[in-house]
């Protein structure tokens, strides 16, 4: 066990984690030159297209230390950098003893870097600071090293200079992992205590659990049970995680690997659960990672109501691979049976929607995302509101509370004015601002979560030319003036587009949503009226004019009354059509309508 090292890579988005992981795999000959491709550990098409890591990926490498000639087993977990996937990072950290803290030499320390660092420090991980992209012309190596020293209090010689693109510093990083990251603790002879830190579904093998063995040894053919669900099964196959899965006879304490049990029902395995032997169980489960806290809720409905059970299966299989997704069944008068899903943010929602379509061939309708509110009625009963239809009638509503967040923004001093304006427009309250260095500023705001859900991140990036970074966590609930904004098409309310908004923002939201729908909805043979309303009061309106066939084309010359007669006949037809014609809203319009500032 003294020759095992478990570590992860943590950094802000786009600081070069996946590229550095590629060089580590090349240096240790884990992957051949022929198999090598950019973002080697990112195995989803979606990750390659967007250039971001969505899932954390575990892989085992073998490394011979030049100082003593001994062979070491490295279990590396590459983690995502975006704030919406921070739950993936927390799970990876729970399975490791060390972390490579990666900071981009051209951008310096950013909000998510600090957030992930605190997660690692809370788990007592050994931190190895690395300044990446030192080969770039715009690299500020000295300045970024000063920022790291201020942040974690290390010595300058502890910081490794590296480049994931050219391979500078890779040998030093691997050597530092051996010298600085402690070997895992644990007793291979003790009762089995194994933590599931990730899982995936395979159509042929069932659920595959990725595990970290804390104590004991798990062997092929062992009779095991899941601590929390109580399910008893046999370990059909165990092995290590290389570029593919490599079968072995056992996984001993301190190591990372996979277990296949043949379980086909995805809800019987939970990420964070503990696996132990039936004959000699452990006394306590492994202390897992933090509970997931969804920040955004949206209804997900099948396009065809007959596909409800297929959608349930797809969500359960997706949840295995994405433990931060939570869902429960719900019904809607207009959309039928579906699910109320909880997401960590808008990017997470978009990724889940895309994965449901690509991986499970599910056509879905997503309702307007909203955050959870508390509403108190006149009788003093307080209940949690997840969807607009749950909000009591204004006559029965006594008060409403909305969630506030602690928002941390790190930027250059040039953009203070832009950020202040943006955050004040979003009802933010400035708490403090601190200069980390003469050219880097940290601003702390208390803001309503509902205001940052839709397009705050995009606006922040555009108003600071990409130089601001953003991180947040939930603070508390505070009283608010809440109203329900309904969208009507030709007088028919569209349930999926109803939203809960602050009264001061209702008119702006109503106007922008109506304008956006006018762009997105296909024209019909009849006129479509798009209205935004609060109760019975219409606050915004747009009209899509009818497609018009030229019925007078065949009348050349002759009496004008013939043309008039044809036009009157067409007018009557359009009136009738408006009574019976239904307006179809395309599924992609439900998400696009929320990008109000595009």
């Amino acid at each position: 066990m003294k020759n095992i090292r478990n570590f992860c890579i943590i950094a802000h988005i786009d600081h070069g984690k996946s590229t550095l992981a590629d060089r580590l795999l090349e240096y240790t000959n884990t992957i051949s030159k022929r198999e090598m491709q950019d973002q080697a550990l990112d195995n989803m098409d979606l990750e390659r297209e967007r250039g971001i890591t969505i899932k954390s990926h575990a892989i085992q490498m073998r490394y011979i230390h030049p100082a003593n000639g001994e062979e070491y087993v490295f279990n590396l977990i590459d983690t995502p950098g975006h704030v919406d996937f921070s739950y993936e990072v927390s799970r990876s950290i729970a399975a490791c003893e060390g972390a490579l803290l990666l900071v981009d030499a051209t951008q310096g320390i950013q909000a998510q870097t600090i957030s992930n660092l605190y997660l690692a420090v809370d788990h007592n991980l050994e931190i190895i600071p690395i300044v990446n992209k030192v080969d770039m012309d715009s690299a500020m190596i000295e300045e970024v090293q000063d920022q790291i020293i201020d942040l974690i209090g290390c010595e300058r010689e502890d910081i490794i200079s590296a480049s994931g693109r050219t391979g500078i510093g890779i040998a030093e990083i691997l050597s530092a992992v051996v010298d600085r990251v402690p070997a895992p603790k644990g007793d291979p002879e003790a009762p089995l205590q194994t933590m599931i830190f990730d899982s995936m579904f395979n159509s042929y093998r069932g659920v595959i659990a990725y595990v970290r063995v804390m104590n004991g040894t798990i062997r092929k053919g062992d009779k095991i049970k899941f601590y929390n669900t109580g399910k008893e099964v046999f370990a059909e196959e165990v092995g290590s995680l290389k570029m593919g899965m490599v079968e072995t006879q056992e996984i001993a304490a301190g190591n990372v690997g996979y277990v296949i049990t043949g379980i086909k029902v995805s809800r019987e395995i939970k990420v964070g659960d503990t696996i132990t032997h039936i004959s000699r169980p452990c006394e306590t489960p492994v202390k897992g990672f933090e509970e997931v806290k969804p920040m955004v809720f949206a209804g997900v409905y099948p396009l065809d109501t007959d596909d409800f059970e297929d959608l349930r299966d797809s969500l359960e299989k997706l949840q295995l691979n994405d433990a931060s997704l939570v869902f429960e069944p719900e019904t809607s008068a207009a959309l039928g049976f579906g699910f109320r899903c909880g997401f960590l943010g808008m990017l997470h929602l978009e990724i889940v929607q895309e994965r449901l379509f690509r991986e499970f061939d599910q056509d879905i309708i997503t309702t307007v995302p909203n955050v959870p509110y508390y509403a108190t009625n006149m009788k003093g009963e307080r209940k949690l509101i997840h969807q607009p239809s749950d909000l009591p009638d204004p006559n029965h509503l006594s008060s409403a509370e909305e969630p506030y967040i602690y928002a941390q923004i790190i930027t250059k001093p040039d953009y203070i004015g832009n950020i202040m304006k943006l955050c004040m427009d979003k009802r933010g309250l400035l708490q403090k601002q601190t200069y980390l260095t003469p050219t880097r500023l940290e601003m702390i705001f208390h803001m309503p979560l509902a205001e940052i859900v839709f397009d705050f991140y995009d606006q922040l990036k555009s108003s600071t030319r990409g130089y601001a970074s953003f991180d947040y966590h939930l603070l508390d609930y505070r009283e608010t003036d809440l109203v329900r904004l309904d969208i009507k098409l030709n007088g028919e309310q569209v349930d999926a587009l109803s939203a809960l908004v602050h009264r001061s923002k209702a008119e702006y939201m109503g106007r922008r949503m109506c304008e956006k729908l006018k762009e997105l909805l296909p024209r019909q043979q009849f006129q479509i009226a798009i209205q935004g309303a609060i109760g019975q009061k219409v606050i915004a309106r747009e009209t899509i004019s009818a497609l018009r066939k030229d019925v007078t084309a065949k009348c050349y010359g002759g009496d004008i009354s013939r043309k008039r007669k044809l036009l009157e006949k067409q007018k009557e037809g359009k009136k009738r059509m408006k009574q019976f014609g239904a307006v179809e809203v395309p599924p992609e319009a439900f998400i696009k309508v929320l990008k109000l500032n595009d």
Side-chain angles (χ1 to χ4, degrees):
M1 204 192 297
K2 68 181 177 60
N3 283 19
I4 296 174
R5 298 289 184 272
N6 301 314
F7 65 98
C8 58
I9 306 177
I10 55 176
H12 190 78
I13 192 168
D14 201 30
H15 277 210
K17 294 178 297 302
S18 299
T19 311
L20 185 78
D22 290 349
R23 297 295 82 76
L24 295 174
L25 296 177
E26 272 184 344
Y27 194 91
T28 55
N29 296 317
T30 306
I31 186 169
S32 68
K33 282 207 160 31
R34 189 170 60 83
E35 296 172 303
M36 192 63 206
Q37 56 177 335
D38 287 345
Q39 288 177 263
L41 291 180
D42 293 347
N43 50 18
M44 264 189 255
D45 291 342
L46 207 52
E47 291 178 310
R48 295 185 185 289
E49 284 168 24
R50 292 182 177 234
I52 58 173
T53 301
I54 293 165
K55 282 287 303 159
S56 56
H57 300 274
I59 190 161
Q60 192 176 87
M61 305 182 284
R62 294 192 174 271
Y63 169 70
I64 295 167
H65 198 325
N68 56 22
E70 287 189 47
E71 186 179 64
Y72 289 82
V73 173
F74 286 175
N75 291 307
L76 160 68
I77 303 176
D78 179 28
T79 61
H82 196 281
V83 63
D84 277 15
F85 304 113
S86 55
Y87 190 60
E88 290 284 326
V89 182
S90 78
R91 286 161 37 206
S92 306
I93 283 171
C96 296
E97 281 81 35
L100 305 182
L101 177 71
L102 212 59
V103 182
D104 187 334
T106 63
Q107 298 181 58
I109 285 175
Q110 301 202 309
Q112 200 61 31
T113 316
I114 296 173
S115 176
N116 291 341
L117 172 69
Y118 289 160
L119 270 177
V121 170
D122 287 346
H123 282 78
N124 297 318
L125 264 60
E126 180 62 37
I127 308 293
I128 300 176
I130 300 166
V131 177
N132 195 25
K133 305 188 186 179
V134 293
D135 59 317
M136 302 278 279
D137 294 338
S138 55
M140 308 171 290
I141 301 168
E142 293 283 321
E143 194 179 316
V144 173
Q145 283 179 342
D146 290 340
Q147 291 174 22
I148 293 172
I149 292 164
D150 287 347
L151 183 66
I152 61 176
C154 63
E155 300 297 323
R156 192 176 292 275
E157 53 269 22
D158 293 340
I159 302 169
I160 300 169
S161 294
S163 165
R165 193 164 60 102
T166 59
I168 297 168
I170 299 300
E172 289 88 339
I173 291 170
L174 290 166
S175 181
V177 169
V178 172
D179 300 336
R180 297 196 219 169
V181 175
K185 297 181 175 69
D187 180 3
E189 304 304 320
L192 180 66
Q193 197 185 34
T194 301
M195 180 182 76
I196 304 173
F197 69 87
D198 205 353
S199 56
M200 63 170 285
F201 188 83
N202 183 297
S203 310
Y204 305 104
R205 311 297 304 271
V207 180
I208 301 169
Y210 295 160
V211 297
R212 159 71 198 273
V213 182
M214 299 299 187
N215 285 300
T217 305
I218 185 168
R219 296 178 178 85
K220 184 178 177 177
D222 282 356
K223 196 163 188 200
I224 55 173
K225 75 166 184 177
F226 296 96
Y227 205 97
N228 290 330
T229 59
K231 179 80 176 170
E232 298 183 0
V233 287
F234 285 99
E236 291 180 5
E237 183 180 313
V238 299
S240 58
L241 296 158
K242 298 277 176 58
M243 276 313 281
M245 293 186 293
V246 180
E247 188 177 353
T248 57
Q249 288 305 304
E250 63 176 40
I251 314 171
N255 228 325
V256 172
Y258 71 91
V259 178
I260 298 177
T261 57
I263 290 176
K264 290 286 198 291
V265 183
S266 41
R267 70 176 82 93
E268 289 177 358
I269 286 188
K270 289 207 163 24
V271 170
D273 203 350
T274 299
I275 296 176
T276 188
H277 282 135
I278 290 174
S279 56
R280 194 169 155 230
C282 59
E283 291 178 12
T284 55
V286 182
K287 288 271 193 298
F289 19 82
E290 62 190 47
E291 272 295 299
V292 61
K293 296 185 196 78
M295 296 285 190
V296 178
F297 291 86
V300 171
Y301 294 85
L303 213 53
D304 184 347
T305 46
D306 295 342
D307 296 337
F308 174 73
E309 286 303 327
D310 287 348
L311 181 59
R312 185 200 294 274
D313 288 347
S314 303
L315 282 168
E316 283 175 358
K317 286 170 186 171
L318 188 58
Q319 193 179 38
L320 276 175
N321 201 237
D322 181 357
S324 50
L325 170 68
V326 295
F327 64 91
E328 58 184 37
E330 73 165 9
T331 54
S332 155
L335 301 168
F337 292 101
F339 297 91
R340 166 98 345 212
C341 298
F343 306 93
L344 296 181
M346 283 297 282
L347 178 64
H348 187 207
L349 166 70
E350 275 187 63
I351 296 295
V352 167
Q353 194 178 14
E354 190 72 24
R355 286 184 71 184
L356 280 171
F357 176 68
R358 289 191 189 196
E359 295 172 31
F360 303 100
D361 203 22
Q362 291 291 324
D363 283 322
I364 56 168
I365 292 172
T366 312
T367 63
V368 172
N370 61 286
V371 301
Y373 296 93
Y374 276 106
T376 307
N377 62 19
M378 292 302 186
K379 294 177 184 173
E381 296 164 347
R382 185 172 181 255
K383 73 167 188 171
L384 196 60
I385 302 293
H386 278 312
Q387 53 187 355
S389 58
D390 292 342
L391 188 72
D393 191 84
N395 301 332
H396 300 132
L397 182 66
S398 169
S399 65
E401 296 159 64
E402 66 178 336
Y404 265 69
I405 56 159
Y406 175 95
Q408 175 194 35
I409 297 170
I410 295 178
T411 185
K412 289 187 170 184
D414 315 11
Y415 304 111
I416 291 179
N418 294 357
I419 292 173
M420 291 282 276
K421 182 179 184 310
L422 174 63
C423 293
M424 296 300 181
D425 286 348
K426 299 283 186 186
R427 299 190 285 129
L429 305 167
L430 179 66
Q431 300 302 304
K432 65 172 183 181
Q433 57 185 51
T434 316
Y435 278 87
L436 303 173
T437 70
T439 57
R440 292 183 77 70
L441 174 79
E442 179 189 54
M443 301 173 81
I444 306 293
F445 287 90
H446 288 179
M447 295 173 71
L449 177 59
E451 295 288 347
I452 68 145
V453 162
F454 295 131
D455 52 359
F456 178 77
Y457 196 68
D458 297 339
Q459 284 180 265
L460 179 67
K461 284 289 178 195
S462 58
S463 62
T464 59
R465 297 184 188 171
Y467 278 109
S469 60
F470 170 65
D471 187 40
Y472 64 90
H473 59 257
L474 207 55
L475 204 58
D476 54 16
Y477 278 80
R478 301 181 187 180
E479 199 160 313
T480 185
D481 188 3
L482 197 63
V483 294
R484 188 175 105 182
L485 174 67
D486 293 321
I487 299 294
K488 298 179 179 183
L489 299 178
N490 279 351
E492 290 289 318
Q493 190 173 314
V494 184
D495 257 19
L497 291 173
S498 293
L500 294 172
V501 293
H502 191 268
R503 192 180 294 277
S504 66
K505 294 292 170 79
E507 193 173 328
Y508 168 76
M509 276 284 283
R511 279 187 183 163
R512 292 297 287 127
M513 282 175 84
C514 288
E515 286 167 13
K516 203 77 179 154
L517 278 169
K518 186 177 179 180
E519 294 168 26
L520 295 168
L521 291 180
R523 285 173 72 189
Q524 305 288 343
Q525 294 278 353
F526 51 90
Q527 193 183 65
I528 302 171
I530 307 166
Q531 294 171 311
I534 298 172
Q536 297 304 310
K537 185 184 175 187
V538 175
I539 56 169
R541 174 178 170 133
E542 291 288 335
T543 305
I544 300 177
S545 54
L547 279 171
R548 181 173 172 272
K549 184 181 172 187
D550 189 1
V551 289
T552 60
K554 60 187 176 185
C555 298
Y556 46 90
D559 190 7
I560 188 70
S561 60
R562 286 180 64 206
K563 289 186 180 179
R564 199 167 286 143
K565 189 176 171 186
L566 287 168
L567 289 169
E568 287 297 325
K569 195 175 172 186
Q570 183 187 38
K571 194 173 171 185
E572 286 300 315
K574 289 210 181 296
K575 237 187 230 174
R576 262 202 315 280
M577 209 183 282
K578 191 172 180 179
Q579 287 174 340
F580 303 110
V583 183
E584 288 285 318
V585 182
E588 62 274 12
F590 289 102
I591 282 291
K592 285 183 181 169
V593 78
L594 303 175
K595 297 186 175 171
L596 302 178
N597 290 311
D598 280 7

